[in-house]
Amino acid sequence: MQQNDAENPILAATETIICEEGLSNLSIKTIADKIGQSKSAIYYHYDSKHDLLLNFLQYLHDELETLLVSLEDLDPEKQLAALTKELTDIDNRRKRNLRVAIMSLRCEAPHDAEIAQMFTQIDTILYEQVNQLYKEIGASNPGRSAALLLSAIDGLVNRAISHTRPIQVDDVAKTLPQRFL
C-alpha cells in the first residue's frame, strides 16, 4: 500500500499517541487534535480507528520490507547481525517508538482477528528471512534457530522497554545470532 502525503502525518500521529499516551488513549479525535485537522479529515482517509490501526500495521509491514531489502547486499552473517541490531535498537527514539507501538498492538491481536492476521504476515516475513539466513550460514536446524532468535529479540526488547531498571540491550543483542546456530 502506498501512503499519500495526507496519510503520513496521520500515521505519525498514531505512532506518537500510542507511544506517549497509550493505545487506550488513541482516538480519531486525539489524532485530529495532534495534527491540527478535523475528525472528518481523518475519516476521509480511514473509516474507523480500527481501519487506521490496520493501515498502521501495513505501514510497519512496509517498513520491515524496506529494511530487509536494504540489507540484501550483506553476506548472511552480517545481514543477520545487522537485522538483530535494527530490531533491538531502542536507543534511537523512532525505533523505540515503533517497538512500543508494536508491543501495544500485539496485545490487541488475541481479541482481533484482523490485527492477528497482520502480525502473522509481518512475523512470517521476518521468520522466513531469518530462517533463510541461518540456512545460508549452515545452521543445523535453521527453523529452530530463527524461531529462537526472534523470540529472544522480542523478549529482550519487550523487557527493556517495560522495565524501569536498565537492561543492556546492545551487549545481549550482539551475541544473539551466534547463540542459536
Side-chain angles (χ1 to χ4, degrees):
M1 172 185 170
Q2 292 293 323
Q3 305 296 325
N4 68 35
D5 289 343
E7 288 174 312
N8 288 331
I10 296 169
L11 295 177
T14 299
E15 176 186 320
T16 300
I17 293 165
I18 291 171
C19 294
E20 293 177 0
E21 302 175 33
L23 187 58
S24 62
N25 291 318
L26 179 73
S27 68
I28 298 299
K29 181 179 178 355
T30 59
I31 294 166
D33 291 347
K34 188 79 161 171
I35 63 171
Q37 296 288 322
S38 66
K39 289 184 348 183
S40 61
I42 309 299
Y43 281 119
Y44 177 80
H45 297 286
Y46 303 100
D47 294 334
S48 63
K49 175 183 167 180
H50 185 258
D51 181 45
L52 174 67
L53 290 175
L54 292 175
N55 277 274
F56 183 71
L57 285 170
Q58 183 62 50
Y59 166 76
L60 295 176
H61 174 279
D62 295 346
E63 289 275 305
L64 175 61
E65 291 278 2
T66 300
L67 170 62
L68 295 176
V69 168
S70 75
L71 301 175
E72 284 179 347
D73 292 336
L74 300 174
D75 69 62
E77 287 185 26
K78 287 182 180 170
Q79 202 173 138
L80 197 55
L83 182 58
T84 300
K85 182 174 176 24
E86 281 292 317
L87 295 175
T88 59
D89 182 4
I90 59 170
D91 290 332
N92 175 297
R93 182 172 171 78
R94 172 75 168 67
K95 292 175 186 175
R96 181 183 179 87
N97 282 353
L98 287 175
R99 293 303 295 204
V100 169
I102 290 167
M103 186 168 68
S104 298
L105 288 167
R106 274 196 192 277
C107 292
E108 296 296 310
H111 315 288
D112 187 312
E114 290 176 296
I115 288 176
Q117 181 59 37
M118 287 297 300
F119 274 114
T120 299
Q121 290 174 12
I122 291 167
D123 291 346
T124 299
I125 289 167
L126 198 50
Y127 170 82
E128 288 175 355
Q129 180 67 26
V130 173
N131 181 48
Q132 182 60 39
L133 292 170
Y134 271 120
K135 279 181 186 176
E136 292 173 22
I137 291 170
S140 61
N141 189 335
R144 178 183 59 100
S145 296
L148 288 170
L149 176 63
L150 294 172
S151 294
I153 288 170
D154 282 344
L156 175 64
V157 171
N158 288 343
R159 287 186 64 184
I161 61 178
S162 63
H163 281 225
T164 55
R165 106 181 160 193
I167 296 175
Q168 300 302 320
V169 175
D170 289 343
D171 293 340
V172 176
K174 287 177 190 173
T175 66
L176 286 177
Q178 296 303 316
R179 289 191 182 272
F180 301 117
L181 279 174

